[in-house]
């Protein structure tokens, strides 16, 4: 058995730690929401506030979580 086959078997059998996925989702959702709200503030459509970023992050987190957990 080659190293490539052993890695494929190990990777395909691993589900991963869901806490890592949730943490990554939180971080990436927050960063993306901050970017979106910043862009909206540049064009004058919204204010760049912590409440707006948090709201966007919560919405993005919920959307990506609902899509990925089927």
């Amino acid at each position: 058995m080659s190293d490539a086959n052993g890695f494929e078997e190990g990777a395909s059998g691993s589900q991963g730690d869901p806490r890592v996925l949730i943490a990554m989702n939180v971080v990436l959702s927050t960063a993306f929401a901050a970017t979106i709200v910043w862009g909206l503030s540049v064009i004058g459509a919204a204010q760049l506030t912590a409440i707006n970023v948090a709201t966007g992050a919560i919405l993005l987190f919920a959307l990506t979580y609902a899509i990925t957990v089927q």
Side-chain angles (χ1 to χ4, degrees):
M1 182 184 293
S2 71
D3 287 339
N5 289 339
F7 178 76
E8 287 178 19
E9 287 179 20
S12 66
S14 175
Q15 293 296 323
D17 189 358
R19 293 174 295 184
V20 173
L21 297 176
I22 290 171
M24 286 176 56
N25 192 0
V26 167
V27 169
L28 294 174
S29 294
T30 303
F32 192 56
T35 303
I36 291 171
V37 173
W38 172 80
L40 290 173
S41 72
V42 168
I43 63 172
Q47 290 183 347
L48 181 59
T49 63
I51 298 294
N52 288 343
V53 172
T55 302
I58 290 168
L59 292 174
L60 284 171
F61 176 86
L63 180 66
T64 56
Y65 186 78
I67 288 172
T68 58
V69 177
Q70 295 180 1

